[in-house]
Amino acid sequence: YGAQPNIMKNPTLLLFILSSLLILATQAAPVRPNIPEVFESFFVFQFDQQENDVHLEGHGTTVWDQPKGKALEHLEFPRNPEYDSFVLLRYDLGTIYDIRHRVCQKIPVNETMPSTWGWIANANFTGTRNFRGRLLDVWELTIGYATTGVAVGSDDPNVPVFSWRYSPQVNITAEYRDFRSVVPNPDFFIVPRLCNASKININLNDVGCLARTTIMARAAVWVDDHVPYNQGATHDGYREDCSGYVSYCWETSKPGYVTSTLPQICHWITKEELMPGDVLLDVSEHVVLFGGWANAAHTEYVAYEETRPGEGTVKRVTPYPYWYNTASFRPCRYNSVC
C-alpha cells in the first residue's frame, strides 16, 4: 500500500482534518433552544384524539408571563365550536379559570407556576427536518406517555416555529406565527365576569370509601405484572391505558373511566394537599397516580403510570407536575377515598 502519511509532519493536512472535525461537531450539536417564558403568539394547530376518533383544526392565542404566574390559552375551532376553550392561569391569584361551554370552572393552585419550556433541557437533538419548505433543527424528548418536540431555526433557536406532542391517545401539532418575546398586555389576564359570578361545583357523592393503602397496593400490582399499554386489551377487567390503570387503582366500574370523564369522580385540590392515591390529571391527554413526594422541596414525586406501547406500567421519580405539558396537569382527589 506504500508509505502512510504522517499528519503531524503535514500541517496543511492536520489543519484540514481539525477544521472538518470542528464543522462536524458544530453540525451535530446546534445551540440548545432557550425559549423565553414571557411571550405572546398566535398559532394554528391540529388535534387528533384516537380514543374518541376526534380530528380537529383550529387557531388560538397563547400568552405567558411565567415569572409573574400568569398565562392565557384561548383555543377556537371554527368547524367544531363545541371544543372552544378559554383557560386563564392566575397562579398569582391561586386559581385557574377554565371556561368551556359557557361554564367557568375554578381550580385552586398554591404553587409556583411551572415552566413552559423547561423540558427542552432534557431533550435530544434529532436532526434537521423540512417543515413546509424550511429546514429546521428538531429537539425531542421521549419519556412518560409521549414524545414532545420543538422545531427552531438555526439562525434563531430561541423562537419556536413548530411544536408537537405525540402519544397513544392524542397527537397535537402547533405552528407558531408572530411569536414575540414581549411583556404581555395586562388586559390578557383579566378574570372574565363569567368566572367572577360562578362557583366551584364539586360532586362529593358518598358512595363508600377506599383506603389509600388499598389504592397504592393495587397500583403496585400492575407495576409488578409489567402490564403493557394496549387500549384494545384489558387486565383484571380494566382497559390497559393510563385512565384504565387509575380506574383499577380506584376500584371504579369496569373497564374504567377515560381522562375526560375522571373529573366526574374526583375533585381538584392544591399541590400541598396531595397524598398517595391522588392523581395528576390532564383531562385531554394523560393521568398519573401520585405515590408521594421524592424530595423535601416537593419538586419531584413518585409516579405510577401507564405510559405508551413498549414501556407499559412503570413506577419512577418524576418532576412535578410532569416532564412536559406542565400547565395542564392538575392535582385531583378521588371522591371516595378515605
Side-chain angles (χ1 to χ4, degrees):
Y1 295 104
Q4 300 299 310
N6 188 338
I7 61 173
M8 298 306 295
K9 296 181 179 181
N10 189 332
T12 303
L13 179 59
L14 178 60
L15 181 61
F16 173 77
I17 292 174
L18 291 176
S19 300
S20 300
L21 290 174
L22 181 61
I23 293 172
L24 288 173
T26 303
Q27 291 175 340
V31 176
R32 185 179 295 274
N34 184 22
I35 301 173
E37 298 286 350
V38 180
F39 66 89
E40 56 184 62
S41 180
F42 176 79
F43 64 99
V44 296
F45 60 90
Q46 291 182 325
F47 179 95
D48 297 303
Q49 188 179 55
Q50 290 81 4
E51 192 172 53
N52 298 318
D53 194 28
V54 174
H55 307 282
L56 305 173
E57 293 183 356
H59 58 260
T61 301
T62 179
V63 184
W64 288 77
D65 191 342
Q66 189 271 344
K68 293 186 177 179
K70 304 176 183 180
L72 168 68
E73 287 203 339
H74 186 190
L75 309 182
E76 296 180 284
F77 301 85
R79 296 181 181 177
N80 305 89
E82 66 273 20
Y83 289 97
D84 289 358
S85 67
F86 179 98
V87 180
L88 177 64
L89 295 88
R90 291 297 305 269
Y91 279 71
D92 59 321
L93 299 180
T95 306
I96 295 173
Y97 303 90
D98 191 331
I99 300 178
R100 302 169 198 266
H101 309 292
R102 296 295 300 167
V103 175
C104 180
Q105 181 177 196
K106 298 179 183 178
I107 303 170
V109 291
N110 68 345
E111 68 260 26
T112 302
M113 185 171 171
S115 166
T116 316
W117 304 102
W119 62 269
I120 295 178
N122 297 311
N124 296 312
F125 174 65
T126 58
T128 59
R129 298 182 201 169
N130 190 313
F131 291 81
R132 298 185 181 178
R134 182 180 177 186
L135 284 177
L136 299 174
D137 292 339
V138 174
W139 294 80
E140 290 184 307
L141 174 65
T142 298
I143 195 168
Y145 72 99
T147 293
T148 297
V150 65
V152 299
S154 58
D155 56 335
D156 197 351
N158 297 334
V159 174
V161 182
F162 289 89
S163 70
W164 55 90
R165 190 163 54 255
Y166 299 148
S167 74
Q169 291 184 325
V170 177
N171 290 340
I172 302 173
T173 303
E175 178 184 0
Y176 297 89
R177 300 179 179 178
D178 193 28
F179 182 96
R180 294 181 296 155
S181 177
V182 296
V183 177
N185 188 317
D187 290 347
F188 278 119
F189 306 123
I190 295 176
V191 178
R193 290 183 179 179
L194 176 64
C195 295
N196 287 327
S198 62
K199 299 180 181 179
I200 301 175
N201 185 17
I202 297 173
N203 181 15
L204 294 175
N205 292 326
D206 184 10
V207 292
C209 79
L210 185 66
R212 293 184 182 276
T213 53
T214 300
I215 294 174
M216 299 314 301
R218 291 173 70 85
V221 170
W222 279 32
V223 174
D224 294 340
D225 288 352
H226 306 289
V227 178
Y229 186 102
N230 184 351
Q231 288 187 307
T234 60
H235 189 77
D236 298 322
Y238 290 88
R239 194 178 54 257
E240 295 178 3
D241 62 12
C242 62
S243 51
Y245 175 45
V246 167
S247 297
Y248 165 78
C249 295
W250 284 356
E251 288 191 0
T252 72
S253 57
K254 301 176 181 181
Y257 285 72
V258 296
T259 54
S260 61
T261 60
L262 279 173
Q264 296 175 9
I265 60 170
C266 73
H267 56 280
W268 304 111
I269 59 175
T270 64
K271 174 183 177 181
E272 293 308 318
E273 292 175 306
L274 274 166
M275 297 176 65
D278 297 332
V279 297
L280 278 302
L281 172 63
D282 173 357
V283 294
S284 298
E285 296 186 34
H286 192 54
V287 62
V288 182
L289 190 75
F290 179 82
W293 294 111
N295 62 11
H298 291 186
T299 58
E300 297 178 327
Y301 64 101
V302 178
Y304 293 75
E305 58 177 326
E306 262 272 32
T307 57
R308 62 186 187 276
E311 185 172 58
T313 312
V314 297
K315 170 189 175 183
R316 64 173 155 230
V317 174
T318 299
Y320 182 88
Y322 201 67
W323 299 95
Y324 38 76
N325 194 24
T326 52
S328 297
F329 281 91
R330 300 157 192 168
C332 208
R333 174 166 294 164
Y334 186 33
N335 293 342
S336 299
V337 70
C338 293

